[in-house]
Every structure is written in structure tokens, then in C-alpha cells.
Amino acid sequence: MAEIPPLEYTKLESIPAIANGVRQAFLSHKSRPLEYRVQQLRKLYWGLKDNQALILEACKRDLGKSNFETYLTEVGWCLNDIVFMSNNLAKFAQDESPLDMAFTNKLFGPKIRKDPLGTVLIIGAYNFPIQLSLGPFIGAISAGCTAILKPSESAPAAAAVMQKIIAESLDPSAYTVVQGAVPETTALLDQKWDKIFYTGSATVGTIIAKKAAETLTPVTLELGGKNPAIITKHADARLAARRLLWAKVLNAGQVCVSQNYVLVDKEILPAFLKELKVALSEFFPEGAQKSPDYGRIVNARQFQRLKKMLDESSGKILLGGTMDEKDLFLEPTVVQVDSPTDSLVAEESFGPLIPVLPVSNLDEAIKIANEVQDTPLGIYPFGNKQETEKVLSQTRSGGASINDGFFHASIPTMPFGGVGSSGQGAYRGRASFDVFTHRRSITTTPAWIEGMLDIRYPPYTPAKQKKFAGMNEIKPNFDRNGKEIGWTWSILGLGAGSKVAISVRMYLQRRSNL
Ligand code: NAD
């Protein structure tokens, strides 16, 4: 098997020239033809396939991920994404016609063309180092953009493998990787981009957004969240426990969209805690540390951060709590807390910590969830239909899984993204194409139409104005109180409140009373 190359940071002084090279490639128009895009995507597919073993090894080295998890959430995910894109690209890239067009407007052949945004910068995060970097990258290629990827330095093996794959598979003038940490990313941000796609913390997201604003560069921000799970007294305690535990043991809880805390109705709390214990022993019969299926915290800094969160909590550890810093092992840990201000609820843990906060009823749970963060990345209500609908209708979030932990985020063709403080913009499936695409409205004015166009040229004579008003105005199908009116009124253009309409209505009423 090939070796994982060492990670070498890109020389700071070379970054402007690299960015300019990729921009020149876009300006040469080479990345626009569909055939070119599809060919690049397919080459990336085989690059990933041929280096699958290296990717599995890299994710094991960086995050202790099991091969199954890496296949499922990283390689397999990207491979399927490429096949999906390559099969659907022609459809996505087709010109669209606007909806509800007046007949006269059709004469101008209006269409919405899907133009590539240009040259884009993609900044990846460490927890799913391949998927969160190559997912947007696949979108950028599909849209006809040229791109630079800056992988997370916190997953160095995966970063190096991606650089190898991209260099070996893709057109190097249009697609390349810049490696590094804050100084290198800052140097990249000093260049001009047509979009910056960032995945990571809200703190750094704010830095990116501020910098981008200086040059009016659009951003997509995929940020974190203090995501609540809510368990009502009607929920199935065993299902809730198994599903929420799964969402916190996958990737050792380093999942942006996993629940950060669990609000549990006091009535079901004992059953839920009992089932958590059962599920933990079912998932890891020999204990999590001995299991080949349980990952590790990415590095000592993140381990210390999680340890500090746990130390600062005034909650009571009910399950787990074992740590081994040398092994970067942190056992899935259930903590009963008594306040939403507890460190485990008030901050995003991004690790295998499961704070449980008892509540008296669903209203209290919804109130707390909206106070902790009113726009998290995900929300996970467990209960009957009426209760889960109530949660959805009284909260906001990037996405939601009913009676599950983050399942919505595992459907690869659903748009994935945050709202408010958990991010802006979405990708995956068709959305990956759209997020790097500009919808360019285009019309073509034929020469023969000039006579009809006379109406738009000065002088604006009363005759022209009258003719235009007659042609232009759409009659409303609502009255001045906002109530819908029958189609006959709107078609006849009477308006419900007009004198004529009132007289006609009175006449009709009188007739029907006869
Ligand atoms: P990270 O350390 O991997 O950083 C993310 C990226 O930001 C890296 O490429 C890094 O080099 C860059 N970066 C760091 N500091 C910077 C700075 N000062 N200026 C410019 N760039 C900088 O990951 P992280 O930020 O610790 O990731 C954890 C957070 O990311 C969590 O909040 C998590 O919820 C969120 N996240 C969100 C998603 C999502 O899809 N919404 C996915 C994964 C992680």
C-alpha cells in the first residue's frame, strides 16, 4: 500500500500566485463546458477509489475512526455524491424558464442560465475531514467553478491524502490544495474569491464573514450548534436511548449536528436513563475503549477542552466518565444537570458528552431550547405526532429528525445547512450545484418586435400610459381586507370592495332570496 505523505504547509509567499493561477484558469473558460466538469468529477471518483485504503488509514490515524465508519461517512459518501452529480449534472445545468410568465414576455425568450460563480475557496473541518472538504469541492466542480481546498490542519493525514488525490486526479491549473493553519488561511482570505465556503466553528465563521464583507464576497457558512433533543413522556424510552446514544458515539460525538443536550420529561427520565445504560453495554460489551468501533478525540487540545467542560459542570455523572488522555479516549458520558446554564448545555461540546436536563412538560422543554439557542443546526423531538409537530412549529433549526438523532443529515440528497447562528447556505445533492451557481436572468429582444416596443419609449403620451396600464396590471383575487374573492370578480376586474361589485353582489343576493 502507498504511504500517507507527510503534511507540508504551503509557503505563505506562494499563496497569492496559487490563487491567481486558479483564477486565471477560470478566466480561460476551461472549467465551464459540461464535458470538462463531468470528466473532472469522474477522475476524482477513481482517485478516491484507488486511494480508498489510504483514506481509511488516514481517518484511523487522525480520529481513530473504524474502517466501516470511514467508508460510510467519508469515502462511500463522496463516491456516491460524484455518481449522483455526474448522472444529474446536465439536468441541473439546463436553462430554466421563469414561472407564471405573461404571454408577451415569452416573446423575449426569457431564461435563467446556471452560471458558475467563478473561483472559490473551500475551507474544511476536521471531524469528517474528507466528506466536509470534498462534498463542497464536488459541488464547485459541478457548477463549473475553479477551486482551492484548504483542509483542516487538525486532521493532517486526511489533509495530505486529499492533496495527493486532487493533484493526481484533477486538472492542476483549476483545482489545487493549500495546506496550513491560521496564517495560511489568513493569507488565502486576503485573496479575492467569488465565494468562500466555510465549515467550522461560529467564532472562525465570524472572522471569515467579516473578511469576506470587505470585498462583498458571498459566503456559505456551515457552523455548529447547541442542538437539543426533546423527549416527551409519550416517547419510547428504549428507542430514544439507542438512537441518541448512536448520535453521540459516531465519530466519538464529534458531529456538528448531533444533539448537544437532552431535555427529558421527568416522568420518563428513569426509564430513559436505564435504557441508556442498556444501550451502552449493548453497543460496547467490552467497554468503549476496547471497541474497534469507537473513535478518539482528534487531539490533546480538544481533549482538554472537553475535560474542562466536564470539570466545570455542576451535574452528576450517571454513566461513563472514564478518560485516558494518552489514548485521547473519552468514554460516552451521561451527566444529569439541573440548569440550562450548566457548561454542558450552554456550550457546544462536540464530543461524547450527553447532558440530560429533566423538565416538567413539553412547553418547558421548548422554552429552554429556544433560550439556549433559537437557531441550532438540528433538533430532535421524540414523542407522539402531535408533540413532535408542536416542537417543529414552535422552534427553528437548520434541520430536524423526528424520533431520531440527526438522521436527516444522513440522506445525501437533502440540502444540509444551518439557519441564523448555525450557518447560512446549504449544500448536498442538487444544493451542492446551486450553492456555487449564479442564476443569471437572460432575455433576447428580437428586431421584429420594435413596433410593439414603441410603448416604452418617450414621450409617455396619455394614450401610451393607458394602453400600458391595461396590458400590465394583474387583477387581485383578494379584497382590501385580505380576503380571497371569487375568481369571477377578479377576472372581471371588479374588486370586492368596488361600488360595482357591491351592487352586483346585492343584486345576486336579492335574486337568490326570491
Ligand atoms: P477546525 O479546527 O477543523 O477548523 C475549521 C477550519 O477553520 C480549519 O480549516 C482551520 O484551519 C480554519 N481556521 C481555524 N482558525 C482560523 C482563523 N482564525 N482564521 C481562518 N481560518 C481558521 O474545526 P473547528 O472550527 O474546531 O470545528 C468545530 C466546529 O465546527 C464545531 O462548532 C462544529 O459544530 C462545526 N462544524 C460544523 C459543520 C457543519 O457542517 N455545519 C461540520 C463540522 C463541524
Side-chain angles (χ1 to χ4, degrees):
M1 190 177 83
E3 285 284 296
I4 295 177
L7 178 67
E8 283 175 21
Y9 284 11
T10 308
K11 287 195 173 58
L12 278 178
E13 58 277 17
S14 65
I15 288 176
I18 296 173
N20 186 45
V22 176
R23 173 164 293 279
Q24 290 312 316
F26 181 74
L27 295 176
S28 78
H29 319 302
K30 68 190 318 191
S31 61
R32 287 184 177 234
L34 281 190
E35 306 75 56
Y36 173 93
R37 306 182 202 180
V38 169
Q39 196 207 29
Q40 295 300 308
L41 288 172
R42 291 177 178 170
K43 286 191 162 184
L44 185 58
Y45 179 94
W46 289 109
L48 285 166
K49 258 283 188 231
D50 295 345
N51 287 284
Q52 183 164 320
L54 271 195
I55 295 175
L56 297 180
E57 177 56 29
C59 290
K60 186 161 287 160
R61 213 182 272 182
D62 287 337
L63 287 141
K65 281 197 203 204
S66 71
N67 286 353
F68 177 68
E69 222 179 274
T70 301
Y71 177 75
L72 201 71
T73 62
E74 308 269 17
V75 202
W77 182 283
C78 292
L79 291 173
N80 286 348
D81 208 17
I82 292 175
V83 175
F84 170 83
M85 265 302 176
S86 122
N87 286 343
N88 288 288
L89 187 55
K91 188 169 68 197
F92 296 162
Q94 248 173 19
D95 287 350
E96 261 176 47
S97 291
L99 293 174
D100 293 335
M101 226 186 333
F103 169 73
T104 43
N105 287 339
K106 286 196 176 158
L107 302 174
F108 298 84
K111 59 190 162 225
I112 300 155
R113 179 146 295 171
K114 317 292 178 55
D115 255 15
L117 281 179
T119 302
V120 301
L121 172 64
I122 294 163
I123 304 173
Y126 67 79
N127 55 331
F128 293 99
I130 308 286
Q131 186 210 128
L132 297 179
S133 300
L134 293 186
F137 207 71
I138 290 164
I141 298 173
S142 310
C145 295
T146 61
I148 286 184
L149 170 66
K150 210 301 287 175
S152 173
E153 71 280 17
S154 303
V161 172
M162 279 190 287
Q163 186 168 23
K164 173 181 179 323
I165 295 172
I166 287 174
E168 287 171 0
S169 316
L170 298 183
D171 174 353
S173 70
Y175 305 107
T176 191
V177 172
V178 166
Q179 301 284 15
V182 177
E184 291 74 15
T185 317
T186 308
L188 280 167
L189 293 175
D190 284 335
Q191 310 308 309
K192 171 67 186 145
W193 303 98
D194 297 306
K195 168 155 253 182
I196 301 172
F197 189 110
Y198 174 77
T199 303
S201 67
T203 312
V204 177
T206 310
I207 298 173
I208 308 269
K210 273 189 188 162
K211 187 71 192 168
E214 286 174 14
T215 48
L216 297 177
T217 302
V219 288
T220 296
L221 301 173
E222 300 287 344
L223 311 176
K226 291 175 265 185
N227 313 314
I230 297 177
I231 304 179
T232 75
K233 59 185 173 192
H234 299 115
D236 180 322
R238 174 163 165 83
L239 287 189
R242 282 171 71 82
R243 293 174 182 185
L244 288 176
L245 188 63
W246 162 74
K248 270 292 175 186
V249 299
L250 187 101
N251 207 19
Q254 296 161 109
V255 183
C256 54
V257 81
S258 68
Q259 75 279 356
N260 195 53
Y261 61 101
V262 191
L263 298 161
V264 192
D265 192 296
K266 285 175 185 150
E267 220 173 278
I268 201 176
L269 181 68
F272 176 65
L273 293 174
K274 187 178 129 239
E275 293 295 350
L276 272 177
K277 195 170 176 190
V278 173
L280 189 62
S281 63
E282 283 172 356
F283 288 2
F284 307 116
E286 308 286 314
Q289 193 165 12
K290 289 208 181 112
S291 167
D293 301 328
Y294 186 67
R296 296 296 182 263
I297 303 306
V298 70
N299 54 34
R301 188 166 64 90
Q302 296 297 344
F303 182 92
Q304 280 304 331
R305 181 186 60 79
L306 284 161
K307 182 173 180 305
K308 185 162 171 272
M309 273 185 87
L310 206 49
D311 290 345
E312 282 171 2
S313 166
S314 34
K316 184 172 172 228
I317 294 182
L318 301 178
L319 208 54
T322 312
M323 296 179 205
D324 179 350
E325 187 168 1
K326 272 199 253 79
D327 186 25
L328 294 176
F329 167 78
L330 179 46
E331 194 179 9
T333 300
V334 179
V335 185
Q336 184 167 337
V337 298
D338 59 9
S339 159
T341 58
D342 191 280
S343 60
L344 294 182
V345 178
E347 293 162 39
E348 183 192 4
S349 71
F350 207 51
L353 306 178
I354 308 174
V356 173
L357 178 59
V359 290
S360 301
N361 52 46
L362 184 54
D363 287 325
E364 188 189 353
I366 292 172
K367 186 167 175 289
I368 292 174
N370 281 326
E371 278 167 8
V372 170
Q373 185 184 12
D374 61 355
T375 53
L377 194 54
I379 192 160
Y380 310 106
F382 289 75
N384 62 32
K385 190 161 179 348
Q386 200 190 356
E387 291 164 334
T388 56
E389 278 303 319
K390 179 170 175 168
V391 171
L392 292 186
S393 64
Q394 298 189 2
T395 59
R396 290 176 291 168
S397 66
S401 301
I402 296 169
N403 291 330
D404 211 342
F406 70 75
F407 194 75
H408 70 282
S410 36
I411 296 185
T413 48
M414 291 250 279
F416 178 75
V419 59
S421 53
S422 58
Q424 50 186 273
Y427 71 121
R428 292 189 179 171
R430 186 184 185 130
S432 290
F433 173 86
D434 291 340
V435 80
F436 292 106
T437 295
H438 169 60
R439 293 168 65 81
R440 190 180 190 184
S441 289
I442 301 170
T443 56
T444 309
T445 308
W448 60 261
I449 215 166
E450 192 59 11
M452 283 167 70
L453 286 182
D454 187 51
I455 196 169
R456 76 182 184 185
Y457 301 125
Y460 303 130
T461 60
K464 276 188 189 174
Q465 288 181 41
K466 197 169 164 210
K467 194 168 160 198
F468 184 73
M471 278 165 57
N472 185 52
E473 209 167 303
I474 305 171
K475 299 298 171 207
N477 62 346
F478 46 85
D479 68 13
R480 42 188 82 247
N481 295 316
K483 252 179 80 183
E484 249 183 55
I485 54 180
W487 61 270
T488 28
W489 301 123
S490 50
I491 283 186
L492 292 171
L494 298 175
S498 74
K499 276 186 189 160
V500 184
I502 292 165
S503 334
V504 175
R505 208 181 305 130
M506 282 169 67
Y507 168 75
L508 290 175
Q509 267 167 7
R510 252 184 275 125
R511 274 186 59 111
S512 64
N513 289 339
L514 286 178

